[in-house]
Amino acid sequence: MMRGILRSGSRNIWLQITVVVVIGLIASYAILSATPDAPKPRSKEGLLDLTHNSIYQNPLKLQGEWAFYWHKLLSPEDIRGQMAGGQPADQDRYINIPSSWLGYPMDGNALKGEGYATFRLVIRLSEQDSKERLALRLPTIFHAYKLWVNGELLTEVGVVDQDKEGMTPILATRLVFFQPEGDTVELVMQVANFHHKRGGITKDIELGGSNVLTVRTHLKIAADMFITASLLVIGVYHLLLFMLRRKDRAPLYFGLFTVMFAIRSLLNGELMLTQWLPHFPWELQFKLEYLILCLGGWVITMYFECIFPDYVSRWFRYGSRIVTGALCLVVVVTPALVYSRMLVLIGVVVVLHMVYLMVGLAHAALRRMEGALIFLLVSVVALATVVNDFLYYNEWSPIENTSPFGLLIFTVAQMLLLSSRFTRAATNEERIARELQEANHKLTGMNANLEQIVLERTRALSVAHEDLRLSYERLLHSEEGRKKLLAYITHDLRMPLSSMLGYVEAVIDRVKPEHNEQYLRYIRDNTIRINRMIGELSFLSHLETGQVEYRIEPVQVMQFLRGFYEQYELVVRDAGLDFALNIGDTEASSADQPVARIDTQRLEQALFNLVSNAMKFTPDGGLVRLALTVDEVNDTRSAVISVQDSGIGIPPAQLEQIFDRNYRVDRPGVDMGVEGSGLGLAICREIVQAHGGSVRAESDGKTGSIFRVILPLI
């Protein structure tokens, strides 16, 4: 997309570029134009006159002309000896401080950065300052030096020598104190450099009261520590965020960028790294600083691509990777004397990265993309501070080390931007979770309704299934009854019909005409018996298949039995038998009498079958007893109606079969002489079971039998 924008060359894009560049230049000018409040005294020809300026409360940067002794390492005694001996000296050579001796004209040639020299400055103090304890705040001086104040060696950084092998470079700041012995202070400094493209005193040396400079130094250290700690904490925090969620790479590149420049801030300003680790290798220290500068542009480009995808063209991404890799390779494999000459090139690469990204930011801001405008504004500030630092390290700007401040502003703004993204993501997650919860509640309600509907439908289906099952069972019973009825009719009626057919043929063939009347009577009796048998078989089949309707109602059992007794008493007595009734206290109140739910007509039929059966098997003069007791049967209060006779009894082995249809008691060697269909007891059992009761028979086979009808009471 960026490539299309650049190719199109539309007015809007170039206008955006122009606006961004103008803003950057204005910001840079505002910083670069920040000068001290009032003109400060400057040294001339190695002499600084402060007799009319007090420096105790207002420290002064020692700017101006210093005496310059090239390729000479002179002590204060050597200089005084030369001056006292009238030897030719180099007092007529002066150099402006702060500045490198690189390019200093001497004998028609420009000096190189490598070499050694001695600097001398004489300061005349005011009367007041000459009595105070003073201090010198020394910046990093490339790259080893010794300092004498009034002939006393106060400090030494590195090892100063006349060749590279004997010299040891070290970068460190110093704060030294001294007590002036008069109104004149002589500063003599030996400086050597064989490892960097620039040598000499390139930064301001401050002179002032000891207390004021101490406070300033401490404040500057505190400020550097604050910036370093802030960048480090922010960087580590975002790296941890990336470790916990690796899908988004924006925290990774932002954390790397912040941590890198936190480390770089340790290598600039008050050089806290060398204060904590005085023996930290100088070469490694320099390589780290330059590697961070080289990688900064590429890392911020990758971060920008994560925040605003498709705004970085492929060719720029590949170009950035190649150039950054090449610069890093040069820094790693070459000494500082080589890659320090590439400082301008590195600065150009970094500035190009920032300008390119700012163009993309301007386009994103015009499209009102979130965070683009803030990103653009802080990038302008960061660009201005970075440009100032490159100008400063090339001795083109008086303001030193502004990039940490600009990077801190840039980092805080990016932290706000990333926090906004995380907050928005969390808000969206909460909204989605809320919507999912609402949907879940709706689904839960629908499931509950669905379960209720399914439960109701299942219940309805179960009822329908039960109805179908009962209908099927009734149909099956009906079919079985039909088959049984047909089988019984075929079995039970075949013999009498066959005999009747024989009698009819005998009458027709006049076999014995004199017996025709007897034959016809026999045919009539069998016809009556067959008709009764067909009726009983039909009724039994209806009972077994549940096709008989019952009119069940609560009935007092005593009254029912009394009515039954009175109805059939004469019938039994006419048969020559005694008929007794034993039903207990009939005078008891109605509340104490047993009540059962019965169909009186059907139950009378069942009891009459029992009584009729007793009449058949009881000889004349015998007894038939009808009794009623109330007892607990199977944990149910029941009425037990007994029909007892004094007949011939039933063999105990056949008691279980006597309720089967067509079963007749078999007594070997005994002619029962009793006719019947054999269906009476089966009909009795079906009727009693239809009332929820049971019937059983008891007999010893000799002294009659007892049939007990058990009906549950209510």
PDB file of all heavy atoms in Angstrom, residues 420-433:
ATOM      1  N   SER A 420      -4.494   0.773  25.320  1.00  0.00           N
ATOM      2  CA  SER A 420      -5.812   0.997  24.715  1.00  0.00           C
ATOM      3  C   SER A 420      -6.242  -0.220  23.911  1.00  0.00           C
ATOM      4  O   SER A 420      -7.406  -0.634  23.958  1.00  0.00           O
ATOM      5  CB  SER A 420      -5.756   2.234  23.814  1.00  0.00           C
ATOM      6  OG  SER A 420      -6.972   2.390  23.127  1.00  0.00           O
ATOM      7  N   ARG A 421      -5.279  -0.816  23.195  1.00  0.00           N
ATOM      8  CA  ARG A 421      -5.625  -2.011  22.412  1.00  0.00           C
ATOM      9  C   ARG A 421      -6.029  -3.165  23.321  1.00  0.00           C
ATOM     10  O   ARG A 421      -7.017  -3.853  23.084  1.00  0.00           O
ATOM     11  CB  ARG A 421      -4.433  -2.441  21.561  1.00  0.00           C
ATOM     12  CG  ARG A 421      -4.101  -1.482  20.429  1.00  0.00           C
ATOM     13  CD  ARG A 421      -3.002  -2.030  19.575  1.00  0.00           C
ATOM     14  NE  ARG A 421      -3.391  -3.284  18.951  1.00  0.00           N
ATOM     15  CZ  ARG A 421      -2.566  -4.074  18.295  1.00  0.00           C
ATOM     16  NH1 ARG A 421      -1.289  -3.744  18.185  1.00  0.00           N
ATOM     17  NH2 ARG A 421      -2.983  -5.178  17.749  1.00  0.00           N
ATOM     18  N   PHE A 422      -5.248  -3.364  24.396  1.00  0.00           N
ATOM     19  CA  PHE A 422      -5.593  -4.445  25.315  1.00  0.00           C
ATOM     20  C   PHE A 422      -6.939  -4.179  25.993  1.00  0.00           C
ATOM     21  O   PHE A 422      -7.746  -5.094  26.199  1.00  0.00           O
ATOM     22  CB  PHE A 422      -4.500  -4.601  26.367  1.00  0.00           C
ATOM     23  CG  PHE A 422      -3.305  -5.341  25.859  1.00  0.00           C
ATOM     24  CD1 PHE A 422      -2.065  -4.724  25.800  1.00  0.00           C
ATOM     25  CD2 PHE A 422      -3.404  -6.656  25.421  1.00  0.00           C
ATOM     26  CE1 PHE A 422      -0.951  -5.398  25.322  1.00  0.00           C
ATOM     27  CE2 PHE A 422      -2.293  -7.338  24.944  1.00  0.00           C
ATOM     28  CZ  PHE A 422      -1.071  -6.712  24.894  1.00  0.00           C
ATOM     29  N   THR A 423      -7.173  -2.895  26.349  1.00  0.00           N
ATOM     30  CA  THR A 423      -8.445  -2.567  26.993  1.00  0.00           C
ATOM     31  C   THR A 423      -9.601  -2.815  26.040  1.00  0.00           C
ATOM     32  O   THR A 423     -10.650  -3.353  26.434  1.00  0.00           O
ATOM     33  CB  THR A 423      -8.428  -1.093  27.430  1.00  0.00           C
ATOM     34  OG1 THR A 423      -7.338  -0.881  28.314  1.00  0.00           O
ATOM     35  CG2 THR A 423      -9.721  -0.733  28.140  1.00  0.00           C
ATOM     36  N   ARG A 424      -9.398  -2.412  24.778  1.00  0.00           N
ATOM     37  CA  ARG A 424     -10.461  -2.636  23.804  1.00  0.00           C
ATOM     38  C   ARG A 424     -10.703  -4.133  23.600  1.00  0.00           C
ATOM     39  O   ARG A 424     -11.844  -4.593  23.506  1.00  0.00           O
ATOM     40  CB  ARG A 424     -10.097  -1.986  22.477  1.00  0.00           C
ATOM     41  CG  ARG A 424     -11.220  -2.066  21.442  1.00  0.00           C
ATOM     42  CD  ARG A 424     -10.906  -1.299  20.188  1.00  0.00           C
ATOM     43  NE  ARG A 424      -9.812  -1.882  19.443  1.00  0.00           N
ATOM     44  CZ  ARG A 424      -8.585  -1.424  19.395  1.00  0.00           C
ATOM     45  NH1 ARG A 424      -8.294  -0.323  20.042  1.00  0.00           N
ATOM     46  NH2 ARG A 424      -7.642  -2.034  18.701  1.00  0.00           N
ATOM     47  N   ALA A 425      -9.591  -4.896  23.546  1.00  0.00           N
ATOM     48  CA  ALA A 425      -9.741  -6.343  23.396  1.00  0.00           C
ATOM     49  C   ALA A 425     -10.472  -6.941  24.594  1.00  0.00           C
ATOM     50  O   ALA A 425     -11.346  -7.806  24.435  1.00  0.00           O
ATOM     51  CB  ALA A 425      -8.374  -7.000  23.225  1.00  0.00           C
ATOM     52  N   ALA A 426     -10.102  -6.468  25.807  1.00  0.00           N
ATOM     53  CA  ALA A 426     -10.778  -6.982  27.002  1.00  0.00           C
ATOM     54  C   ALA A 426     -12.251  -6.591  27.006  1.00  0.00           C
ATOM     55  O   ALA A 426     -13.122  -7.382  27.388  1.00  0.00           O
ATOM     56  CB  ALA A 426     -10.080  -6.446  28.258  1.00  0.00           C
ATOM     57  N   THR A 427     -12.526  -5.340  26.569  1.00  0.00           N
ATOM     58  CA  THR A 427     -13.923  -4.893  26.511  1.00  0.00           C
ATOM     59  C   THR A 427     -14.718  -5.736  25.522  1.00  0.00           C
ATOM     60  O   THR A 427     -15.853  -6.148  25.799  1.00  0.00           O
ATOM     61  CB  THR A 427     -13.970  -3.413  26.102  1.00  0.00           C
ATOM     62  OG1 THR A 427     -13.208  -2.647  27.032  1.00  0.00           O
ATOM     63  CG2 THR A 427     -15.408  -2.907  26.098  1.00  0.00           C
ATOM     64  N   ASN A 428     -14.119  -5.983  24.355  1.00  0.00           N
ATOM     65  CA  ASN A 428     -14.797  -6.830  23.374  1.00  0.00           C
ATOM     66  C   ASN A 428     -15.014  -8.232  23.922  1.00  0.00           C
ATOM     67  O   ASN A 428     -16.052  -8.852  23.692  1.00  0.00           O
ATOM     68  CB  ASN A 428     -13.976  -6.883  22.084  1.00  0.00           C
ATOM     69  CG  ASN A 428     -13.969  -5.561  21.352  1.00  0.00           C
ATOM     70  OD1 ASN A 428     -14.909  -4.760  21.511  1.00  0.00           O
ATOM     71  ND2 ASN A 428     -12.947  -5.298  20.568  1.00  0.00           N
ATOM     72  N   GLU A 429     -13.994  -8.720  24.640  1.00  0.00           N
ATOM     73  CA  GLU A 429     -14.135 -10.061  25.222  1.00  0.00           C
ATOM     74  C   GLU A 429     -15.265 -10.095  26.244  1.00  0.00           C
ATOM     75  O   GLU A 429     -16.058 -11.038  26.273  1.00  0.00           O
ATOM     76  CB  GLU A 429     -12.818 -10.460  25.885  1.00  0.00           C
ATOM     77  CG  GLU A 429     -12.821 -11.863  26.457  1.00  0.00           C
ATOM     78  CD  GLU A 429     -11.495 -12.224  27.083  1.00  0.00           C
ATOM     79  OE1 GLU A 429     -10.550 -11.408  26.971  1.00  0.00           O
ATOM     80  OE2 GLU A 429     -11.401 -13.298  27.682  1.00  0.00           O
ATOM     81  N   GLU A 430     -15.345  -9.031  27.073  1.00  0.00           N
ATOM     82  CA  GLU A 430     -16.431  -8.977  28.048  1.00  0.00           C
ATOM     83  C   GLU A 430     -17.787  -8.895  27.341  1.00  0.00           C
ATOM     84  O   GLU A 430     -18.759  -9.535  27.756  1.00  0.00           O
ATOM     85  CB  GLU A 430     -16.236  -7.782  28.965  1.00  0.00           C
ATOM     86  CG  GLU A 430     -15.031  -7.903  29.889  1.00  0.00           C
ATOM     87  CD  GLU A 430     -14.806  -6.650  30.694  1.00  0.00           C
ATOM     88  OE1 GLU A 430     -15.526  -5.659  30.450  1.00  0.00           O
ATOM     89  OE2 GLU A 430     -13.908  -6.647  31.558  1.00  0.00           O
ATOM     90  N   ARG A 431     -17.833  -8.087  26.261  1.00  0.00           N
ATOM     91  CA  ARG A 431     -19.101  -7.963  25.536  1.00  0.00           C
ATOM     92  C   ARG A 431     -19.501  -9.302  24.921  1.00  0.00           C
ATOM     93  O   ARG A 431     -20.662  -9.729  25.011  1.00  0.00           O
ATOM     94  CB  ARG A 431     -18.959  -6.907  24.444  1.00  0.00           C
ATOM     95  CG  ARG A 431     -20.215  -6.707  23.600  1.00  0.00           C
ATOM     96  CD  ARG A 431     -19.998  -5.615  22.564  1.00  0.00           C
ATOM     97  NE  ARG A 431     -18.839  -5.877  21.734  1.00  0.00           N
ATOM     98  CZ  ARG A 431     -18.821  -6.735  20.719  1.00  0.00           C
ATOM     99  NH1 ARG A 431     -19.923  -7.415  20.416  1.00  0.00           N
ATOM    100  NH2 ARG A 431     -17.723  -6.921  20.002  1.00  0.00           N
ATOM    101  N   ILE A 432     -18.524  -9.972  24.319  1.00  0.00           N
ATOM    102  CA  ILE A 432     -18.823 -11.265  23.710  1.00  0.00           C
ATOM    103  C   ILE A 432     -19.242 -12.281  24.777  1.00  0.00           C
ATOM    104  O   ILE A 432     -20.172 -13.065  24.584  1.00  0.00           O
ATOM    105  CB  ILE A 432     -17.596 -11.761  22.927  1.00  0.00           C
ATOM    106  CG1 ILE A 432     -17.345 -10.834  21.722  1.00  0.00           C
ATOM    107  CG2 ILE A 432     -17.792 -13.188  22.448  1.00  0.00           C
ATOM    108  CD1 ILE A 432     -16.069 -11.136  20.990  1.00  0.00           C
ATOM    109  N   ALA A 433     -18.523 -12.239  25.923  1.00  0.00           N
ATOM    110  CA  ALA A 433     -18.881 -13.158  27.012  1.00  0.00           C
ATOM    111  C   ALA A 433     -20.297 -12.885  27.505  1.00  0.00           C
ATOM    112  O   ALA A 433     -21.059 -13.815  27.794  1.00  0.00           O
ATOM    113  CB  ALA A 433     -17.881 -13.015  28.155  1.00  0.00           C
TER     114      ALA A 433
END
